[in-house]
Amino acid sequence: MSQEIKTFTISVYTENNIGLLNRISAIFQRRHINIESLTTSQSEIKDVNRFVIVVKITEDHAIKVVKQIEKQVEAIRAYYHTNEETIFTESCMFKIKSNLLFEEPQIQNLIKESHARIVTVNKEFFVLEKTGRRHEIEELREAFNAYGIMQFVRSGRIAVTKDEMKVSELLEAFKNQ
């Protein structure tokens, strides 16, 4: 196994139970692993949720963490993948003073060039939405910092694997138990 530190996306398919997030995060805490991002959502199977956890660790650590997570009663299955094995994105929103939209021509250029989308505009502020890779979002945030950002929020990573995962069959079997 490789001792090189890489970015891994860990996908955890679970039942939706109270306290599971605490137990999963404790696994990372005990191993002194920082979670870069965490997203939870419904999976492709009814009543099964999916955690998408991004960490920077060695493959040895990824294997151990996945095994530890799978020991949790509510964890149905866990997987780890490299960036090269996944298709991923993040989303963000910016809240910026409205007068800048009309008084600073560069703002409109930034919006157009970054493929951001205006969600709402009123007298006080406008809200932009941007979806893309983290570095694209960070570049846009840096550009808007020069004008002043009233609020900023970024989601965690959402990801799917490039290769077919047989998880759907596994989850269907779980559901039919």
Side-chain angles (χ1 to χ4, degrees):
M1 290 298 143
S2 172
Q3 294 304 312
E4 178 188 349
I5 292 177
K6 292 182 175 181
T7 300
F8 288 97
T9 300
I10 298 177
S11 297
V12 184
Y13 289 85
T14 70
E15 296 177 55
N16 188 12
N17 289 354
I18 294 170
L20 181 59
L21 177 59
N22 285 339
R23 291 193 303 283
I24 288 176
S25 66
I27 292 168
F28 292 92
Q29 184 180 9
R30 281 193 301 272
R31 295 180 180 276
H32 302 286
I33 298 170
N34 186 46
I35 295 174
E36 301 288 323
S37 83
L38 172 85
T39 305
T40 64
S41 70
Q42 176 70 36
S43 76
E44 58 271 25
I45 303 295
K46 187 178 183 331
D47 298 325
V48 175
N49 284 13
R50 183 175 175 197
F51 287 64
V52 177
I53 305 165
V54 179
V55 291
K56 292 182 180 174
I57 54 178
T58 64
E59 189 172 6
D60 288 345
H61 279 115
I63 291 166
K64 289 175 184 171
V65 164
V66 163
K67 285 180 181 174
Q68 195 75 38
I69 289 170
E70 286 187 334
K71 289 181 182 177
Q72 297 298 314
V73 173
E74 302 92 341
I76 300 164
R77 199 66 203 267
Y79 302 89
Y80 71 92
H81 296 94
T82 63
N83 283 348
E84 295 75 30
E85 298 169 324
T86 57
I87 299 164
F88 58 92
T89 191
E90 296 181 8
S91 294
C92 74
M93 293 177 78
F94 296 91
K95 181 177 171 184
I96 300 169
K97 290 182 180 176
S98 285
N99 65 322
L100 294 172
L101 188 58
F102 307 107
E103 296 170 9
E104 293 288 343
Q106 186 54 27
I107 294 277
Q108 291 185 24
N109 291 340
L110 283 171
I111 294 168
K112 186 177 178 182
E113 291 166 7
S114 68
H115 304 288
R117 184 174 75 88
I118 297 175
V119 177
T120 189
V121 178
N122 67 32
K123 290 180 193 173
E124 297 356 43
F125 60 86
F126 68 100
V127 175
L128 285 178
E129 174 187 64
K130 167 74 177 146
T131 300
R133 296 286 178 103
R134 179 165 288 198
H135 73 272
E136 296 169 335
I137 290 170
E138 285 304 312
E139 287 169 10
L140 189 57
R141 188 163 71 103
E142 280 295 314
F144 280 131
N145 270 341
Y147 300 98
I149 298 171
M150 296 170 73
Q151 290 182 36
F152 172 79
V153 65
R154 181 181 56 233
S155 73
R157 174 180 289 190
I158 56 173
V160 294
T161 60
K162 290 181 181 176
D163 290 339
E164 179 186 2
M165 286 178 64
K166 302 290 186 193
V167 73
S168 294
E169 290 126 38
L170 177 91
L171 296 175
E172 275 297 334
F174 167 79
K175 189 174 95 173
N176 294 325
Q177 287 180 352

Coordinates of all heavy atoms in Angstrom, one line a residue, residues 14-18 20 42 47-49 51 74 76:
T14 N -25.7 4.3 4.5 CA -26.2 4.1 5.9 C -27.7 4.1 6.0 O -28.4 4.6 5.2 CB -25.7 5.2 6.9 OG1 -26.4 6.4 6.6 CG2 -24.2 5.4 6.8
E15 N -28.1 3.5 7.2 CA -29.5 3.8 7.6 C -29.5 5.2 8.2 O -28.5 5.7 8.5 CB -29.9 2.8 8.7 CG -29.9 1.3 8.3 CD -30.2 0.4 9.4 OE1 -31.3 0.6 10.0 OE2 -29.4 -0.5 9.6
N16 N -30.6 5.8 8.2 CA -30.7 7.2 8.7 C -31.1 7.2 10.2 O -32.2 7.2 10.6 CB -31.8 8.0 7.9 CG -31.8 9.4 8.2 OD1 -30.9 9.9 8.9 ND2 -32.8 10.1 7.8
N17 N -30.0 7.1 11.0 CA -30.2 7.0 12.5 C -29.6 8.2 13.2 O -28.5 8.6 12.8 CB -29.7 5.7 13.0 CG -30.5 4.5 12.6 OD1 -31.6 4.7 12.0 ND2 -30.1 3.3 12.9
I18 N -30.2 8.6 14.3 CA -29.7 9.6 15.1 C -28.3 9.2 15.8 O -28.2 8.1 16.2 CB -30.7 10.0 16.2 CG1 -31.9 10.6 15.6 CG2 -30.1 11.0 17.2 CD1 -33.1 10.8 16.5
L20 N -25.4 8.7 14.4 CA -24.4 8.1 13.5 C -23.3 9.1 13.1 O -22.1 8.7 13.0 CB -25.1 7.5 12.3 CG -24.2 6.7 11.3 CD1 -23.4 5.6 12.0 CD2 -25.0 6.2 10.1
Q42 N -29.8 11.7 0.6 CA -30.5 10.5 0.2 C -29.6 9.8 -0.9 O -29.1 10.5 -1.7 CB -31.9 10.8 -0.3 CG -32.7 9.7 -0.9 CD -33.1 8.7 0.2 OE1 -33.5 9.1 1.3 NE2 -33.1 7.4 -0.1
D47 N -34.7 5.2 1.6 CA -34.4 5.0 3.0 C -33.0 4.6 3.3 O -32.6 4.2 4.4 CB -35.3 3.9 3.6 CG -36.8 4.2 3.6 OD1 -37.1 5.4 3.7 OD2 -37.6 3.4 3.4
V48 N -32.1 4.9 2.3 CA -30.6 4.7 2.5 C -30.0 6.0 2.2 O -30.2 6.6 1.2 CB -30.1 3.6 1.6 CG1 -28.5 3.5 1.8 CG2 -30.7 2.2 1.9
N49 N -29.2 6.5 3.2 CA -28.5 7.8 3.1 C -27.1 7.5 2.7 O -26.5 6.5 2.9 CB -28.6 8.6 4.3 CG -29.9 9.2 4.6 OD1 -30.9 8.9 3.9 ND2 -30.0 10.2 5.5
F51 N -23.2 9.4 2.9 CA -22.2 10.4 3.4 C -21.1 10.4 2.4 O -20.6 9.4 1.9 CB -21.5 9.9 4.7 CG -22.4 10.0 5.9 CD1 -23.5 9.2 6.1 CD2 -22.1 10.8 7.0 CE1 -24.3 9.2 7.2 CE2 -22.8 10.9 8.1 CZ -23.9 10.1 8.3
E74 N -25.3 0.9 11.8 CA -26.1 1.5 10.8 C -25.4 1.6 9.4 O -26.0 2.0 8.4 CB -26.6 2.9 11.2 CG -27.4 2.8 12.5 CD -26.6 3.1 13.7 OE1 -25.3 2.9 13.6 OE2 -27.1 3.5 14.7
I76 N -24.1 0.5 6.2 CA -24.4 -0.7 5.3 C -23.1 -1.1 4.5 O -22.7 -2.2 4.5 CB -25.5 -0.4 4.3 CG1 -26.8 0.0 5.1 CG2 -25.7 -1.5 3.4 CD1 -27.8 0.7 4.3

